[in-house]
């Protein structure tokens, strides 16, 4: 069985015990979307990037999100990230300042292998992007996430998995192994059906074992994250962001409430074997951690988040991210926050509360907006780097 090491999740300490949170001190982009070359030197303060639409603000946040495992905040193909008029490759380099000192982290794709991500940590190649999860945690909010509570469950699973990854860097691996095994099982079933045969039972059984192991680890990680987040929410001071009530709905998740992980692995494995005929007919696996859902309710109103107003949904979402960031910081795991166009849609009280929380927790938040006035409250407490392309001078 795959260990979901909850002992790694340290007990809470007070926020003021945290001497330094992880932050970027330099960010260099080459051939990344509209940034042919960008080189930003950043100090400890929150970062505000202001400017018109299409300037490349979200692209900068996306680049930072790629310094963690996964496909970043747009879930885009690497081929789409490479500058259109470039050679097909791109690179993102960052100097990351941690309590232990500075580290150099780089990622990107080469022109001749546009779907294979290269990762280098302090000049040494890492075998996969998972290694990045051990260095930096990032949480983000983007305008797309305004639909989180009304979108299909997959969006909420991805959201929860991002919160889980901040607590356990192995979480992404469990998800990747599960998805891969499930895709192979689906493919075997579809191919056999097309040929009028049955899939090789030994092969299917092997894949189901993998699905059971990784799927239970994935679900256990989600459950542990939910419990942690609920604790963080309960411990958060009162403020203008409503407290959400959270629940996780899913087959394996509910089994984990009643039985230890090893037993649930066997149960899930048996369940998959019994469901073969049904999955064979459907051409895909119908039940498992890939169908789980995160149910969110507006606490004070006791109403499903999906029924709340757009503004209330946004406030709930920000409240969740801030509670998680606050809890992580208290546990010495402070994340980098990427807040794309978040300030624009908040009233003055909530905007001030957001800024004050970021300053209070000493987090490096990267915030974007089209209007600098929105960030006046931050004054000199933030920095405002320019991301305009460098002027080309002749001679
Ligand atoms: N692969 C790419 N190559 C070059 N430009 C790109 C690429 N992908 C997106 N862009 C450009 O980036 C710009 C959008 O950047 P974005 O960061 O979303 O802007 P905003 O400042 O509004 O957040 C658009 O002009 C888009 O055409
Ligand atoms: Mg944008």
């Amino acid at each position: 069985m795959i260990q979901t090491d909850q002992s790694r999740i340290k007990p809470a300490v007070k926020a003021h015990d945290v001497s330094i949170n992880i932050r970027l001190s330099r960010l260099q982009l080459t051939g990344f979307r509209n940034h042919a070359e960008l080189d930003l030197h950043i100090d400890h303060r929150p970062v505000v990037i202001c400017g018109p639409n299409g300037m490349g603000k979200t692209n900068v946040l996306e680049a930072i999100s790629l310094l963690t495992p996964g496909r970043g905040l747009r879930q885009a193909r690497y081929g789409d990230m490479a500058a259109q008029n470039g050679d097909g490759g791109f690179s993102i380099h960052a100097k990351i300042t941690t309590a232990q000192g500075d580290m150099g982290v780089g990622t990107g794709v080469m022109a001749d292998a546009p779907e294979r991500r290269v990762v280098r940590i302090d000049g040494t190649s890492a075998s996969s992007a998972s290694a990045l999860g051990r260095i930096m945690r990032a949480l983000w909010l983007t305008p797309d996430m305004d639909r989180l509570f009304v979108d299909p469950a997959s969006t909420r699973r991805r959201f929860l998995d991002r919160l889980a990854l901040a607590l356990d860097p192995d979480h992404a691996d469990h998800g990747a192994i599960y998805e891969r095994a499930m895709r192979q099982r689906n493919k075997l079933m579809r191919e056999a059906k097309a040929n009028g045969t049955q899939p090789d039972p030994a092969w299917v059984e092997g894949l189901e074992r993998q699905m059971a192991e990784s799927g239970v680890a994935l679900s256990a990680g989600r459950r542990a994250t939910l419990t942690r987040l609920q604790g963080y929410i309960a411990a958060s001071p009162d403020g203008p962001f409503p407290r959400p009530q959270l629940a996780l709905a899913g087959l394996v998740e509910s089994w984990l409430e009643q039985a230890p992980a090893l037993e649930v692995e066997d149960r899930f494995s048996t369940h998959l074997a019994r469901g073969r005929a049904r999955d064979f007919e459907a051409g895909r696996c119908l039940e498992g951690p890939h169908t789980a859902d995160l149910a969110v309710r507006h606490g004070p109103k006791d109403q499903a988040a999906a029924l709340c107003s757009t503004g209330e949904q946004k406030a709930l979402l920000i409240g969740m991210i801030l509670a998680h960031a606050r809890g992580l910081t208290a546990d010495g795991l402070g994340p980098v926050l990427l807040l794309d166009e978040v300030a624009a849609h908040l009233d003055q009280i909530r905007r001030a509360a957001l800024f004050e929380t970021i300053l209070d927790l000493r987090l490096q938040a990267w915030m974007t907006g089209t209007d600098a006035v929105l960030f006046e409250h931050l004054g000199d407490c933030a920095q405002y780097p320019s991301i305009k392309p460098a002027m080309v001078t002749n001679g």
Side-chain angles (χ1 to χ4, degrees):
M1 111 167 221
I2 299 172
Q3 287 294 320
T4 45
D5 185 359
Q6 293 197 27
S7 60
R8 194 179 321 152
I9 300 174
K10 289 180 282 170
V13 290
K14 288 210 170 66
H16 60 250
D17 293 340
V18 177
S19 53
I20 184 167
N21 280 314
I22 201 157
R23 65 180 175 88
L24 272 63
S25 33
R26 188 173 181 186
L27 178 69
Q28 291 168 281
L29 308 182
T30 306
F32 185 76
R33 295 209 186 257
N34 68 327
H35 299 290
E37 292 288 342
L38 183 72
D39 188 359
L40 300 179
H41 291 262
I42 301 296
D43 62 36
H44 65 280
R45 292 172 294 173
V47 185
V48 174
I49 304 175
C50 271
N53 293 328
M55 185 194 199
K57 302 181 296 294
T58 304
N59 293 345
V60 171
L61 268 47
E62 183 185 33
I64 298 170
S65 72
L66 287 165
L67 297 170
T68 65
R71 285 193 170 235
L73 55 71
R74 281 196 176 103
Q75 290 283 302
R77 290 176 46 245
Y78 298 133
D80 291 339
M81 297 177 195
Q84 257 156 30
N85 55 0
D87 64 2
F90 68 83
S91 74
I92 302 164
H93 281 277
K95 186 158 105 183
I96 296 181
T97 298
T98 73
Q100 287 77 40
D102 287 347
M103 300 185 77
V105 172
T107 190
V109 300
M110 313 285 249
D112 53 2
E115 282 308 310
R116 207 176 70 81
R117 166 126 98 116
V118 179
V119 174
R120 291 177 77 80
I121 297 170
D122 277 337
T124 307
S125 291
S127 57
S128 85
S130 332
L132 294 172
R134 286 172 217 294
I135 298 174
M136 190 176 96
R137 293 154 296 280
L139 299 178
W140 53 75
L141 278 176
T142 66
D144 286 351
M145 288 163 69
D146 285 355
R147 297 188 45 81
L148 188 87
F149 302 120
V150 287
D151 269 352
S154 57
T155 319
R156 285 180 293 283
R157 282 196 300 275
R158 204 178 308 131
F159 174 73
L160 181 59
D161 285 337
R162 174 61 39 187
L163 303 186
L165 187 62
L167 286 165
D168 177 9
D170 291 332
H171 190 78
D173 287 340
H174 303 323
I177 295 167
Y178 179 78
E179 289 287 332
R180 195 166 52 231
M182 182 174 69
R183 269 200 308 272
Q184 284 177 10
R185 180 177 179 270
N186 289 348
K187 188 163 171 260
L188 280 183
M189 289 188 163
R190 278 201 289 263
E191 280 172 0
K193 201 170 174 197
N195 296 333
T197 56
Q198 285 294 321
D200 176 355
W203 199 348
V204 173
E205 201 181 308
L207 291 171
E208 287 170 356
R209 247 300 127 202
Q210 281 182 35
M211 283 175 70
E213 268 191 20
S214 54
V216 170
L218 180 65
S219 301
R222 287 175 180 163
R223 267 173 52 84
T225 303
L226 193 82
T227 307
R228 277 294 275 274
L229 178 56
Q230 284 166 328
Y232 291 161
I233 291 169
S236 288
D238 281 330
F241 299 105
R243 283 174 211 273
Q245 283 168 4
L246 309 171
L248 196 51
L251 181 76
V252 176
E253 285 77 4
S254 66
W255 287 342
L256 280 168
E257 265 170 44
Q258 308 147 8
L262 268 178
E263 215 173 296
V264 176
E265 259 180 40
D266 289 339
R267 199 154 154 189
F268 186 33
S269 201
T270 309
H271 185 84
L272 286 167
R274 288 209 186 114
R276 261 179 227 170
R278 194 185 62 167
D279 290 353
F280 183 78
E281 278 316 305
R284 67 193 165 85
C285 183
L286 290 176
E287 225 175 355
H290 63 288
T291 59
D293 197 359
L294 171 69
V296 182
R297 294 180 74 77
H298 187 293
K301 291 181 80 170
D302 191 23
Q303 189 176 57
L307 300 178
C308 291
S309 76
T310 318
E312 285 169 331
Q313 292 186 24
K314 186 137 198 148
L316 270 173
L317 188 55
I318 296 174
M320 278 163 81
I321 289 283
L322 289 183
H324 204 55
R326 183 184 293 280
L328 286 169
T329 305
D331 288 350
L333 299 169
V336 167
L337 289 181
L338 306 174
L339 305 177
D340 196 19
E341 306 277 351
V342 170
H345 302 280
L346 293 178
D347 57 43
Q348 215 173 349
I349 290 175
R350 290 201 169 115
R351 200 156 57 228
L354 170 69
F355 294 157
E356 288 302 323
T357 304
I358 289 165
L359 292 174
D360 182 36
L361 298 178
R362 285 184 276 172
L363 292 176
Q364 192 179 62
W366 291 68
M367 293 175 274
T368 66
T370 46
D371 191 352
V373 173
L374 293 171
F375 300 96
E376 260 175 357
H377 182 95
L378 283 166
D380 285 346
C381 295
Q383 58 197 310
Y384 306 84
S386 162
I387 62 161
K388 286 202 192 93
M391 293 284 284
V392 179
T393 48
N394 293 316

